[in-house]
Amino acid sequence: MAGITIVGSGRYLPGPPVPNDALARVMDTSDAWIRQRTGIATRHYAPDGVGVSDLAVHAARAALEDAGIDGAQVDYVIFATMTPDYPFPGPGALIAARLGLDQVPALDVRQQCCAIPYALQVADGLVATGAARTVLLVGAEAHAGFMPWTEWRALEDPEVVVSTQARERATRHRGLAVLFGDGAGALVLRPHPKPGHGLIGVRVRSDGHGAHQLYVEAGGFRRRPYLQPWMLEEDLHVPRMEGRELFRAAVTRLPALVRELCAAHDVALEQIDWFIAHQANDRINAAVREALGVPEERVPSNIARYGNTSSATIPILVDELRRDGVLREDQLVCFLALGAGLHWGAALMRL
Ligand code: UT7
């Protein structure tokens, strides 16, 4: 049997685009710095009270409609997020219920920005063993909850005054805060009807030695109680990120893994039509591209509009490319991503 392929996709971005200049109202940063160092121009934020299951339901419905199937045909849900509605349970079962998928198994994966290579491997395994035939894979994030400012009105209204203290606080986290945006993407996965098509191979890796390069201290269950007021005072709900180390890890580990995957499947880099990469920083993808000797036009980018949407990034990008007619049957695609964990991975798929 051939591997899984994408038979439907959908995406959802909450609220209006928020430009870099709006962020410069709540912390010391600038449109020029953000564009030059990351490639990001705007991002979206989930409104207060809106969680990933709310975002994902829109993307999932669009993906099912695109696939031309109704929910009753979905026999497995995989939900990827690092910003769940609740510490537990994960949002997989919540979204299955909202879509009316009666008692369908729902698996939550938490591989952060690398969720999609992992989830594709799991989905393919489920289909290969007969546990599922149609898998709904959703990636959704609501990072707004960890942004280091409280004066959200200032993003929309230049007249709103932000105190020096609030500004200094947000500025301490500016390297992280400018990167992330919210959104949801969904893929409907089924075995490809043609032999040799669909998912060809996946390589995923983890290295917990790098876990503290990007992590959130508060909200974990090492403390009694697990949430305490001082954690908020010390901003322990805001992720700590060692940006340069992550950058270095991405630009070395991803090209090495892509070469390893291609060698294992006898695929030359020139045969790959599209490199669909996670969008953490445009400079990371430029460096990966250069290391692989791949031309810019084969590495599509949407980071300018959405920033880093973690697990939602690849499904959102896939949906844009499918709807724009860029991704076509028979093309060979390489997915690649690295994120907190550390986890990194790459996957080859013949559409
Ligand atoms: O999804 C996976 C997880 N995340 C990543 O993969 C992120 C990977 N890392 C990165 O994308 C980059 O390291 C960052 C965008 C986070 C930072 O860029 P950088 O070029 O590595 O900057 P840096 O941290 O080395 O900082 C350079 C300067 C510093 O100022 P000084 O010390 O040179 O005066 C920072 O304080 O830039 C300053 N800076 C900023 N300035 C304006 C850092 N963030 C900002 C900002 N606005 N937002």
Short mmCIF file of all heavy atoms in Angstrom, two decimals, residues 27-30 33-34 37-38 113 171 173-180 214 241-248 250 278-281 283-284 308 310 338-340, ligand 1:
data_model
loop_
_atom_site.label_atom_id
_atom_site.label_comp_id
_atom_site.label_asym_id
_atom_site.label_seq_id
_atom_site.Cartn_x
_atom_site.Cartn_y
_atom_site.Cartn_z
N MET A 27 6.87 47.69 23.47
CA MET A 27 8.24 47.35 23.88
C MET A 27 9.24 48.01 22.94
O MET A 27 8.86 48.52 21.88
CB MET A 27 8.43 45.83 23.90
CG MET A 27 8.19 45.16 22.57
SD MET A 27 8.18 43.37 22.76
CE MET A 27 7.46 42.91 21.20
N ASP A 28 10.51 48.00 23.34
CA ASP A 28 11.53 48.64 22.52
C ASP A 28 11.91 47.70 21.38
O ASP A 28 12.71 46.77 21.56
CB ASP A 28 12.79 48.96 23.35
CG ASP A 28 12.51 50.04 24.37
OD1 ASP A 28 11.48 50.73 24.25
OD2 ASP A 28 13.31 50.19 25.30
N THR A 29 11.32 47.92 20.25
CA THR A 29 11.67 47.18 19.05
C THR A 29 11.30 48.06 17.87
O THR A 29 10.82 49.18 18.05
CB THR A 29 10.94 45.80 18.99
OG1 THR A 29 11.47 45.04 17.91
CG2 THR A 29 9.43 45.94 18.82
N SER A 30 11.53 47.59 16.66
CA SER A 30 11.20 48.41 15.50
C SER A 30 10.85 47.52 14.33
O SER A 30 11.28 46.36 14.26
CB SER A 30 12.41 49.28 15.12
OG SER A 30 13.45 48.45 14.68
N TRP A 33 14.10 46.34 12.64
CA TRP A 33 14.81 45.23 13.30
C TRP A 33 14.09 43.92 13.03
O TRP A 33 14.71 42.93 12.64
CB TRP A 33 14.92 45.47 14.82
CG TRP A 33 15.88 44.50 15.48
CD1 TRP A 33 17.20 44.72 15.77
CD2 TRP A 33 15.62 43.14 15.89
NE1 TRP A 33 17.77 43.59 16.33
CE2 TRP A 33 16.82 42.61 16.41
CE3 TRP A 33 14.50 42.31 15.86
CZ2 TRP A 33 16.93 41.31 16.92
CZ3 TRP A 33 14.60 41.01 16.36
CH2 TRP A 33 15.81 40.52 16.88
N ILE A 34 12.79 43.92 13.23
CA ILE A 34 12.04 42.65 13.10
C ILE A 34 12.12 42.13 11.67
O ILE A 34 12.38 40.94 11.44
CB ILE A 34 10.57 42.82 13.56
CG1 ILE A 34 10.52 43.28 15.02
CG2 ILE A 34 9.81 41.51 13.40
CD1 ILE A 34 9.13 43.68 15.51
N ARG A 37 15.90 40.96 10.95
CA ARG A 37 16.41 39.80 11.70
C ARG A 37 15.52 38.57 11.58
O ARG A 37 15.95 37.48 11.91
CB ARG A 37 16.56 40.15 13.20
CG ARG A 37 17.37 41.38 13.51
CD ARG A 37 18.74 41.35 12.91
NE ARG A 37 19.65 40.41 13.55
CZ ARG A 37 20.86 40.10 13.10
NH1 ARG A 37 21.31 40.66 12.00
NH2 ARG A 37 21.62 39.24 13.73
N THR A 38 14.24 38.75 11.14
CA THR A 38 13.34 37.59 11.13
C THR A 38 12.55 37.43 9.83
O THR A 38 12.08 36.34 9.53
CB THR A 38 12.29 37.69 12.26
OG1 THR A 38 11.35 38.72 11.94
CG2 THR A 38 12.93 37.98 13.60
N CYS A 113 7.19 23.08 17.34
CA CYS A 113 7.34 23.46 15.93
C CYS A 113 7.65 22.27 15.02
O CYS A 113 7.54 22.37 13.80
CB CYS A 113 8.43 24.51 15.77
SG CYS A 113 8.04 26.00 16.70
N THR A 171 10.06 44.48 27.05
CA THR A 171 11.32 44.56 26.30
C THR A 171 12.27 43.42 26.69
O THR A 171 13.03 42.93 25.86
CB THR A 171 11.97 45.94 26.50
OG1 THR A 171 11.06 46.93 26.03
CG2 THR A 171 13.29 46.08 25.75
N HIS A 173 11.59 40.52 27.01
CA HIS A 173 11.23 39.31 26.26
C HIS A 173 11.08 39.58 24.76
O HIS A 173 10.46 38.80 24.04
CB HIS A 173 9.89 38.77 26.79
CG HIS A 173 9.89 38.49 28.25
ND1 HIS A 173 10.49 37.37 28.79
CD2 HIS A 173 9.39 39.19 29.30
CE1 HIS A 173 10.35 37.39 30.12
NE2 HIS A 173 9.69 38.48 30.45
N ARG A 174 11.64 40.68 24.29
CA ARG A 174 11.33 41.10 22.92
C ARG A 174 11.84 40.12 21.86
O ARG A 174 11.21 39.96 20.81
CB ARG A 174 11.89 42.50 22.65
CG ARG A 174 13.41 42.59 22.74
CD ARG A 174 13.87 44.01 22.52
NE ARG A 174 15.32 44.11 22.70
CZ ARG A 174 16.01 45.20 22.52
NH1 ARG A 174 15.40 46.31 22.14
NH2 ARG A 174 17.32 45.22 22.69
N GLY A 175 12.98 39.47 22.14
CA GLY A 175 13.53 38.53 21.14
C GLY A 175 12.53 37.42 20.83
O GLY A 175 12.38 36.97 19.70
N LEU A 176 11.82 36.99 21.86
CA LEU A 176 10.81 35.93 21.72
C LEU A 176 9.49 36.49 21.21
O LEU A 176 8.86 35.94 20.29
CB LEU A 176 10.59 35.28 23.09
CG LEU A 176 9.41 34.33 23.18
CD1 LEU A 176 9.91 32.89 23.15
CD2 LEU A 176 8.61 34.57 24.45
N ALA A 177 9.06 37.62 21.83
CA ALA A 177 7.70 38.09 21.61
C ALA A 177 7.41 38.51 20.18
O ALA A 177 6.29 38.38 19.71
CB ALA A 177 7.41 39.27 22.56
N VAL A 178 8.44 38.98 19.47
CA VAL A 178 8.18 39.44 18.10
C VAL A 178 7.98 38.26 17.13
O VAL A 178 7.47 38.45 16.03
CB VAL A 178 9.30 40.35 17.55
CG1 VAL A 178 9.43 41.61 18.41
CG2 VAL A 178 10.63 39.63 17.46
N LEU A 179 8.40 37.06 17.56
CA LEU A 179 8.43 35.94 16.62
C LEU A 179 7.09 35.25 16.39
O LEU A 179 6.79 34.82 15.28
CB LEU A 179 9.41 34.85 17.11
CG LEU A 179 10.89 35.20 17.19
CD1 LEU A 179 11.68 33.99 17.68
CD2 LEU A 179 11.42 35.66 15.85
N PHE A 180 6.31 35.10 17.49
CA PHE A 180 5.19 34.16 17.42
C PHE A 180 3.86 34.80 17.05
O PHE A 180 3.56 35.93 17.45
CB PHE A 180 5.05 33.43 18.76
CG PHE A 180 6.18 32.48 19.03
CD1 PHE A 180 7.29 32.90 19.74
CD2 PHE A 180 6.15 31.19 18.54
CE1 PHE A 180 8.35 32.04 19.98
CE2 PHE A 180 7.20 30.31 18.77
CZ PHE A 180 8.32 30.74 19.50
N LEU A 214 14.33 26.37 24.89
CA LEU A 214 13.01 27.00 24.68
C LEU A 214 11.99 26.23 25.50
O LEU A 214 11.65 25.10 25.18
CB LEU A 214 12.65 26.98 23.18
CG LEU A 214 11.30 27.62 22.78
CD1 LEU A 214 11.15 29.02 23.34
CD2 LEU A 214 11.14 27.64 21.26
N MET A 241 13.87 31.61 25.96
CA MET A 241 14.40 31.13 24.68
C MET A 241 15.85 31.55 24.51
O MET A 241 16.19 32.72 24.71
CB MET A 241 13.56 31.68 23.52
CG MET A 241 13.98 31.13 22.17
SD MET A 241 12.95 31.76 20.84
CE MET A 241 13.70 33.34 20.57
N GLU A 242 16.69 30.61 24.16
CA GLU A 242 18.08 30.93 23.79
C GLU A 242 18.12 30.96 22.26
O GLU A 242 18.37 29.94 21.60
CB GLU A 242 19.04 29.88 24.35
CG GLU A 242 19.08 29.90 25.88
CD GLU A 242 19.86 28.74 26.48
OE1 GLU A 242 20.58 28.04 25.73
OE2 GLU A 242 19.72 28.53 27.68
N GLY A 243 17.79 32.13 21.73
CA GLY A 243 17.57 32.26 20.29
C GLY A 243 18.75 31.84 19.43
O GLY A 243 18.60 31.12 18.45
N ARG A 244 19.96 32.28 19.86
CA ARG A 244 21.13 31.98 19.01
C ARG A 244 21.43 30.49 18.96
O ARG A 244 21.82 29.96 17.93
CB ARG A 244 22.36 32.72 19.55
CG ARG A 244 22.30 34.19 19.22
CD ARG A 244 23.59 34.85 19.58
NE ARG A 244 23.31 36.23 19.98
CZ ARG A 244 24.24 37.08 20.36
NH1 ARG A 244 25.50 36.71 20.44
NH2 ARG A 244 23.92 38.31 20.68
N GLU A 245 21.26 29.81 20.12
CA GLU A 245 21.53 28.35 20.15
C GLU A 245 20.53 27.61 19.25
O GLU A 245 20.89 26.70 18.53
CB GLU A 245 21.43 27.81 21.59
CG GLU A 245 22.65 28.06 22.44
CD GLU A 245 22.88 29.53 22.72
OE1 GLU A 245 21.90 30.31 22.70
OE2 GLU A 245 24.05 29.91 22.92
N LEU A 246 19.27 28.03 19.32
CA LEU A 246 18.25 27.39 18.49
C LEU A 246 18.53 27.62 17.01
O LEU A 246 18.37 26.72 16.18
CB LEU A 246 16.87 27.96 18.81
CG LEU A 246 16.18 27.40 20.04
CD1 LEU A 246 14.93 28.21 20.31
CD2 LEU A 246 15.82 25.94 19.83
N PHE A 247 18.91 28.85 16.74
CA PHE A 247 19.24 29.21 15.36
C PHE A 247 20.34 28.28 14.84
O PHE A 247 20.22 27.68 13.77
CB PHE A 247 19.71 30.67 15.33
CG PHE A 247 19.73 31.29 13.97
CD1 PHE A 247 18.72 32.15 13.59
CD2 PHE A 247 20.75 31.02 13.06
CE1 PHE A 247 18.72 32.74 12.32
CE2 PHE A 247 20.76 31.59 11.81
CZ PHE A 247 19.74 32.46 11.45
N ARG A 248 21.40 28.15 15.66
CA ARG A 248 22.53 27.30 15.27
C ARG A 248 22.09 25.84 15.08
O ARG A 248 22.48 25.18 14.14
CB ARG A 248 23.61 27.39 16.35
CG ARG A 248 25.02 27.15 15.83
CD ARG A 248 26.08 27.49 16.86
NE ARG A 248 26.03 28.85 17.34
CZ ARG A 248 25.99 29.22 18.62
NH1 ARG A 248 25.97 28.32 19.58
NH2 ARG A 248 25.98 30.50 18.95
N ALA A 250 19.16 24.72 14.28
CA ALA A 250 18.32 24.57 13.08
C ALA A 250 19.17 24.55 11.81
O ALA A 250 18.96 23.70 10.93
CB ALA A 250 17.29 25.69 13.02
N HIS A 278 9.32 24.67 8.23
CA HIS A 278 8.76 25.44 9.33
C HIS A 278 9.26 26.88 9.20
O HIS A 278 10.36 27.13 8.71
CB HIS A 278 9.21 24.82 10.66
CG HIS A 278 8.76 25.62 11.82
ND1 HIS A 278 7.43 25.88 12.05
CD2 HIS A 278 9.45 26.26 12.80
CE1 HIS A 278 7.34 26.64 13.12
NE2 HIS A 278 8.53 26.89 13.59
N GLN A 279 8.45 27.83 9.66
CA GLN A 279 8.78 29.24 9.50
C GLN A 279 9.08 29.85 10.87
O GLN A 279 8.18 30.41 11.52
CB GLN A 279 7.61 29.99 8.83
CG GLN A 279 7.03 29.30 7.60
CD GLN A 279 7.77 29.65 6.32
OE1 GLN A 279 7.91 30.81 5.98
NE2 GLN A 279 8.23 28.63 5.63
N ALA A 280 10.32 29.71 11.33
CA ALA A 280 10.69 30.29 12.63
C ALA A 280 11.40 31.61 12.43
O ALA A 280 11.29 32.52 13.25
CB ALA A 280 11.58 29.33 13.40
N ASN A 281 12.15 31.70 11.34
CA ASN A 281 12.92 32.90 11.04
C ASN A 281 13.38 32.75 9.59
O ASN A 281 13.95 31.71 9.24
CB ASN A 281 14.13 32.98 11.99
CG ASN A 281 14.92 34.26 11.80
OD1 ASN A 281 15.03 34.78 10.68
ND2 ASN A 281 15.49 34.77 12.87
N ARG A 283 15.80 33.94 8.14
CA ARG A 283 17.25 33.75 8.02
C ARG A 283 17.63 32.28 8.25
O ARG A 283 18.60 31.80 7.70
CB ARG A 283 17.99 34.67 8.98
CG ARG A 283 17.92 36.15 8.55
CD ARG A 283 18.84 36.99 9.41
NE ARG A 283 18.47 36.92 10.80
CZ ARG A 283 19.31 36.69 11.82
NH1 ARG A 283 20.59 36.51 11.61
NH2 ARG A 283 18.87 36.65 13.06
N ILE A 284 16.85 31.59 9.09
CA ILE A 284 17.11 30.16 9.28
C ILE A 284 16.88 29.43 7.96
O ILE A 284 17.73 28.66 7.50
CB ILE A 284 16.20 29.55 10.38
CG1 ILE A 284 16.59 30.10 11.75
CG2 ILE A 284 16.25 28.02 10.35
CD1 ILE A 284 15.75 29.57 12.91
N ASN A 308 5.90 33.04 13.40
CA ASN A 308 6.05 31.62 13.69
C ASN A 308 4.77 31.13 14.37
O ASN A 308 4.48 31.51 15.50
CB ASN A 308 7.26 31.44 14.62
CG ASN A 308 7.52 30.00 15.00
OD1 ASN A 308 6.73 29.11 14.67
ND2 ASN A 308 8.61 29.77 15.70
N SER A 310 4.24 27.96 15.10
CA SER A 310 4.60 26.66 15.69
C SER A 310 3.96 25.49 14.93
O SER A 310 4.14 25.38 13.73
CB SER A 310 4.29 26.63 17.19
OG SER A 310 5.04 27.64 17.83
N LEU A 338 12.26 22.22 12.96
CA LEU A 338 12.94 22.04 14.24
C LEU A 338 12.28 22.92 15.27
O LEU A 338 11.88 24.05 14.96
CB LEU A 338 14.43 22.40 14.13
CG LEU A 338 15.24 22.35 15.43
CD1 LEU A 338 16.62 21.72 15.20
CD2 LEU A 338 15.40 23.73 16.09
N GLY A 339 12.13 22.41 16.48
CA GLY A 339 11.51 23.23 17.52
C GLY A 339 11.87 22.78 18.91
O GLY A 339 12.73 21.91 19.11
N ALA A 340 11.18 23.39 19.88
CA ALA A 340 11.46 23.13 21.30
C ALA A 340 11.38 21.65 21.57
O ALA A 340 10.55 20.92 21.02
CB ALA A 340 10.46 23.90 22.15
O1 UT7 B 1 10.35 27.75 16.26
C1 UT7 B 1 11.58 27.38 16.80
C2 UT7 B 1 11.97 28.23 17.92
N1 UT7 B 1 12.60 29.49 17.70
C3 UT7 B 1 13.63 29.73 16.87
O2 UT7 B 1 14.02 28.94 16.05
C4 UT7 B 1 14.30 31.07 17.02
C5 UT7 B 1 15.71 31.03 16.50
N2 UT7 B 1 16.41 32.28 16.77
C6 UT7 B 1 16.16 33.45 16.16
O3 UT7 B 1 15.29 33.51 15.31
C7 UT7 B 1 17.01 34.64 16.49
O4 UT7 B 1 18.06 34.23 17.34
C8 UT7 B 1 16.21 35.79 17.16
C9 UT7 B 1 15.30 36.45 16.15
C10 UT7 B 1 15.44 35.30 18.35
C11 UT7 B 1 17.19 36.86 17.62
O5 UT7 B 1 17.97 37.31 16.54
P1 UT7 B 1 19.56 37.43 16.70
O6 UT7 B 1 20.05 37.95 15.42
O7 UT7 B 1 20.07 36.10 17.16
O8 UT7 B 1 19.68 38.54 17.80
P2 UT7 B 1 20.38 38.45 19.22
O9 UT7 B 1 19.54 37.71 20.19
O10 UT7 B 1 21.80 38.03 19.05
O11 UT7 B 1 20.37 39.99 19.61
C12 UT7 B 1 21.08 40.98 18.85
C13 UT7 B 1 20.69 42.36 19.36
C14 UT7 B 1 20.76 42.46 20.89
O12 UT7 B 1 21.17 43.78 21.21
P3 UT7 B 1 22.71 44.09 21.61
O13 UT7 B 1 22.98 43.22 22.81
O14 UT7 B 1 23.51 43.68 20.41
O15 UT7 B 1 22.68 45.54 21.89
C15 UT7 B 1 19.33 42.28 21.31
O16 UT7 B 1 19.05 42.88 22.56
O17 UT7 B 1 19.32 42.64 19.02
C16 UT7 B 1 18.58 42.98 20.19
N3 UT7 B 1 17.22 42.50 20.02
C17 UT7 B 1 16.24 43.27 19.54
N4 UT7 B 1 16.22 44.54 19.13
C18 UT7 B 1 15.04 45.03 18.68
C19 UT7 B 1 16.74 41.26 20.28
N5 UT7 B 1 15.42 41.23 19.99
C20 UT7 B 1 15.09 42.45 19.53
C21 UT7 B 1 13.89 43.02 19.06
N6 UT7 B 1 13.92 44.31 18.64
N7 UT7 B 1 12.74 42.33 18.99
#
